[in-house]
Amino acid sequence: MVAIPTAFRPSAAPLVEDKEQFLSRRGVLILASLFWAYITLTDIVYYEAMRIEASEWTSIMLYYPWQYRLMQHVLMLPVLLLCYSTAVRIGWRPARRRVPQQLGLALGFSLLMYWMMLAGGWILRALFGTHAEPFGIFTKGNWAFWVSSTATGLLAYGFGLALITGVATYRRYHELQLHNSELRRDWAGARLAALRTQLSPHTLFNVLHTIQARISGEPEVAQSLVASLGDLLRGLLQAGEHDFTQLRDELQFVELYLGLQIGRFADRLTVHVRNGADVPAVWVPSLILQPLVENAVVHGFADHSGPVRIDVTWDLSPERLQLRVVNSTVSSDAARTAGLGLRNVSERLAVQFGERAVLTSRRVGSSTWEATVTLPVLREWRAGAAAAMGARWL
């Protein structure tokens, strides 16, 4: 049994620059505005409730009216958007330089909260004649209010920055995942294209030598071999452009290949390919049988001068399709190693199907060798499906 790798991964992933933006300026503005609208609403509701409750006990104004806090938050919104946009742009690395800058933005924003409250009062007084607290020397109460508003503003700013940073990090992760998936699909496609086209050059050279040897003595046979070789190469090019092909077309390509081998070993080789009207309309990986048939020819004729028979058959059940290549061999061929052709088939099955497909290669009896490919049944296929399937199993 040939072992199948369970995963294939690119040798290196591309580096992404730290300063690449994964949250647009528009996204920052929208997210920050929605967050600040929530903060504004909660502040107004909380302090207005406290003001109403305090007014039942005393006529002294302990809390600013809700209009003041609304003006405060409206005035702070452009500052917030500017700070968040700058924070997203500068990022967090290198931490030695960026963290102090981020802290400076947060502290600067928070220190302005109290002053925007006072500025809002003056704007309301200018517009509507309402009461406003005059600017002057700070009392202890003013200092305490400034400190408390700075602390609450710092906390609110931190929550908003954490939210925006989290969204940007998620988007970064999502973009990297998509990029990684695209790289894996591209890699799987390139790998499959390389594996599909690995027709042994020795086979072509041997066929050309056979044609050359028969040109003078058997020109009609040589002409037929040239035509068959042209059909084989044409089929090879066409199959190399697609990940999957119909089983009938795959068997026809095998017939072309074995037809050339019969031209070389007309007196020793007998072949049978089950390619009749009963072939089901299912899809198989392109050129998946050719390495197995080539392997059967090479090892079938190795170390003896007797006849060789090669049978290519299939067996279909509701859930699986088995492709079988059986060849006669000499009994001294004790343990056929997994050559390049078998390894290529195994790698292709692993890339395209993961653990759902398997290749077995083993001796059956004393003079027969059998290679079997077991696949899931694919009755429909579309372009690009193979790359997606391979990426899913990577």
Side-chain angles (χ1 to χ4, degrees):
M1 182 141 180
V2 179
I4 296 181
T6 57
F8 293 89
R9 304 178 190 276
S11 57
L15 296 178
V16 180
E17 295 184 2
D18 292 339
K19 292 186 179 180
E20 185 176 356
Q21 297 298 318
F22 289 90
L23 189 62
S24 64
R25 183 182 298 274
R26 182 172 178 267
V28 173
L29 296 180
I30 293 175
L31 192 59
S33 298
L34 292 175
F35 168 76
W36 197 241
Y38 171 77
I39 294 296
T40 302
L41 180 62
T42 55
D43 275 3
I44 290 177
V45 171
Y46 174 77
Y47 285 107
E48 186 65 11
M50 296 294 292
R51 188 186 67 82
I52 294 174
E53 184 178 4
S55 66
E56 296 179 353
W57 297 92
T58 178
S59 59
I60 300 175
M61 188 181 68
L62 298 178
Y63 297 96
Y64 288 106
W66 65 269
Q67 295 90 341
Y68 281 60
R69 298 195 179 278
L70 178 61
M71 286 299 302
Q72 177 195 33
H73 288 79
V74 169
L75 295 175
M76 287 299 298
L77 179 59
V79 181
L80 180 77
L81 297 179
L82 178 62
C83 290
Y84 281 165
S85 298
T86 305
V88 171
R89 180 172 52 83
I90 67 176
W92 294 90
R93 289 188 292 181
R96 180 180 302 178
R97 185 172 58 183
R98 298 307 185 191
V99 170
Q101 293 176 349
Q102 295 283 5
L103 292 176
L105 286 173
L107 185 60
F109 171 84
S110 304
L111 290 173
L112 286 176
M113 291 289 292
Y114 175 73
W115 297 103
M116 289 300 180
M117 175 74 76
L118 298 181
W122 282 97
I123 292 175
L124 289 174
R125 180 182 181 184
L127 293 177
F128 306 106
T130 58
H131 170 75
E133 182 175 319
F135 290 99
I137 301 176
F138 271 17
T139 64
K140 291 183 179 180
N142 295 134
W143 282 106
F145 186 35
W146 190 15
V147 171
S148 65
S149 64
T150 300
T152 56
L154 188 62
L155 185 62
Y157 180 91
F159 275 119
L161 182 61
L163 175 64
I164 291 176
T165 302
V167 172
T169 302
Y170 170 77
R171 288 181 60 87
R172 177 188 179 92
Y173 173 78
H174 183 64
E175 292 289 338
L176 290 177
Q177 287 291 98
L178 291 178
H179 189 56
N180 192 31
S181 297
E182 292 175 359
L183 288 178
R184 291 191 178 199
R185 285 195 296 269
D186 293 343
W187 175 85
R191 181 62 177 158
L192 290 173
L195 293 173
R196 280 198 304 268
T197 56
Q198 299 217 6
L199 181 66
S200 173
H202 297 289
T203 300
L204 299 179
F205 293 149
N206 291 333
V207 171
L208 291 174
H209 290 160
T210 301
I211 294 173
Q212 182 181 14
R214 298 195 177 189
I215 286 178
S216 58
E218 300 175 284
E220 294 182 358
V221 175
Q223 184 177 2
S224 177
L225 289 175
V226 169
S228 298
L229 180 60
D231 292 338
L232 180 74
L233 295 177
R234 188 178 301 108
L236 181 66
L237 292 175
Q238 292 175 353
E241 296 176 352
H242 304 284
D243 295 320
F244 285 80
T245 186
Q246 285 277 350
L247 177 58
R248 184 185 306 276
D249 297 332
E250 182 71 11
L251 294 174
Q252 289 176 353
F253 184 84
V254 168
E255 287 181 326
L256 280 174
Y257 176 81
L258 289 176
L260 287 173
Q261 300 304 321
I262 291 175
R264 294 177 56 202
F265 307 103
D267 56 341
R268 298 178 58 193
L269 179 60
T270 303
V271 302
H272 169 68
V273 179
R274 185 183 176 188
N275 190 20
D278 60 338
V279 176
V282 295
W283 295 85
V284 297
S286 299
L287 302 177
I288 198 67
L289 284 176
Q290 189 278 326
L292 303 182
V293 174
E294 183 174 352
N295 195 62
V297 172
V298 172
H299 290 277
F301 285 102
D303 301 329
H304 75 101
S305 58
V308 174
R309 179 178 176 84
I310 297 177
D311 294 305
V312 181
T313 60
W314 51 265
D315 180 65
L316 180 65
S317 67
E319 298 297 332
R320 64 167 178 79
L321 171 68
Q322 282 192 332
L323 307 176
R324 188 174 293 107
V325 178
V326 180
N327 67 277
S328 58
T329 184
V330 295
S331 58
S332 60
D333 188 10
R336 184 184 303 182
T337 58
L340 178 62
L342 295 181
R343 288 199 299 270
N344 286 349
V345 172
S346 298
E347 290 185 17
R348 288 187 61 192
L349 294 177
V351 171
Q352 292 178 304
F353 298 104
E355 297 181 353
R356 298 188 301 163
V358 63
L359 166 66
T360 59
S361 182
R362 61 190 179 91
R363 175 176 292 283
V364 179
S366 60
S367 59
T368 303
W369 196 276
E370 178 182 276
T372 304
V373 176
T374 303
L375 303 167
V377 178
L378 298 179
R379 300 191 181 276
E380 295 182 3
W381 178 80
R382 58 181 175 81
M389 183 182 298
R392 188 166 60 249
W393 288 100
L394 289 176

